[in-house]
Amino acid sequence: MAINMVADHAKWPETNDPIFGLAAKAKEAINKFGKENVIDSTLGALVDDDGNLICMETVYSELKSLPNAEIAGYAQVAGQPDYLEAVQEECFSGYRPNAYIKAVATPGGTGSVKHAVFNYTNSGDSILVADWFWSPYVTISEEVGRKVANFSLFNEKNEFNIESFKENFESLLNKQKRLVTILNTPANNPTGYSLSDEEWTKVLDIAKENAINPENKIIIFVDAAYMDFAGVGLERKKFFTQFTNLPDNIFIIIGYSMSKAYTMYGLRSGAAIGISSNEKIVNEFYYSCMHSGRANWSNGTRGAMSVMTHIANDPIKKKAYEAEKEKYKTMLRNRAKAFVDASKEVGLEILPYRDGFFVSIPCEDAKKASEELIKDNMFVVSLKKGLRFAVCAVSEEKCKKAPAIIKKVLDRLK
Ligand SMILES: Cc1ncc(COP(=O)(O)O)c(C=O)c1O
């Protein structure tokens, strides 16, 4: 007789993570056919042209130079005070909004999503995210009895679909009277789209119109996990200044992650940064997140926090770190350009790409397309609405070749 031991709310389908599963298959193919004959575009991490994970020298030399006690020790529940200062500087880089701001350390950007979803919605509420989205938003929401609704990220002209955003935003807000919406920008995963400053103004105009009703509580979560690899210079951070002078019932949370910006994926460090025109509202945020932190993971990774603090507070280290990051940003940009240009050449339809680790290819049966591509030794993640190609993990040379292979498979499946 089969017995269920887990409680009802903790029973989930017995599936393994599909991305890590596909990555394992890609590794097998590399062992069998040689790395030059395989395109492994599965994982969302920076990989060099030889297929090795990029680990920033300026980051790891700092980590390894820390006294053991600074790596081993507990961090404070809210995060080390100097880290909480440094993370704000690193996040806003001169585009700090004029508002009350407080940060709380989290284990990666994932922890900040958890804080926003759990602490700013009521049981049974829906959060609003784009229809091209990072699937853990659903996992995190379902885990705590919340649901996820979608707006269409793009209209027929492949522009940001502000009408769909407005319609879904207002219908959920009218029903729930509070709404958390997650905007994963700049450098959206999976599409590589970044909202322009003008598009941000439109989003905030919609929020402000709806904030006239004092019963409405609007929370905009900006998932900025890939921000450091977006735009030229700091152009993709300018939108932060638009969070100045917002009404009290619009609260902004930035999900900051050290995973990509410091190539510290496994060291689990990030922050939730709350922004409000009202000091009481950011204090409430801080204590609410601190309670959740204690309840979920106790505290963050002390050594990772120290790495950021030491680099941020030493002009020489900071310059070297920025130069190293810039090198990888350029590498990523060149790879993405190669993929986008080659797609145009062979007539492969892709979604509008502006920045970041991924490019998306809309298609009907993405699961089938992903399976067929394996026969060509190409490993690409399938999503509900298309394929996600990780330019972060594939050399420029292979990024040039990939679109023709994908186009051939998609044409065959038509
Ligand atoms: C869209 C998005 N948000 C947030 C994260 C947060 O990642 P982490 O918890 O590793 O910082 C990721 C990582 O893959 C991501 O793709």
Side-chain angles (χ1 to χ4, degrees), residues 363-375 382 387 409-410 412-413:
C363 65
E364 285 295 316
D365 189 349
K367 197 160 179 285
K368 179 89 186 136
S370 171
E371 283 163 11
E372 286 296 306
L373 281 165
I374 294 177
K375 295 180 188 160
S382 67
L387 296 167
V409 165
L410 293 187
R412 202 164 69 219
L413 291 179

Side-chain angles (χ1 to χ4, degrees), residues 107-111 134 137 184 189 223 225-226 257 259-260 265 268-269:
T110 306
W134 187 50
Y137 296 148
N184 174 208
N189 173 7
D223 184 346
Y226 298 89
S257 168
S259 302
K260 333 283 164 180
Y265 315 92
R268 315 305 307 138
S269 191

Side-chain angles (χ1 to χ4, degrees), residues 23 73 85 91 101 113 117 121 124 146 150 158 180 186 197 203 228 256 266 284 292 303 318 336 341 350 355 365 403:
E85 290 293 316
C91 176
I101 302 179
V113 176
V117 169
T121 59
R146 273 62 163 173
N150 297 119
N158 260 347
V180 170
D197 293 345
V203 166
D228 279 73
Y256 182 89
E284 176 194 58
S292 279
K318 169 106 171 131
D341 289 350
I350 59 171
D355 300 294
D365 189 349

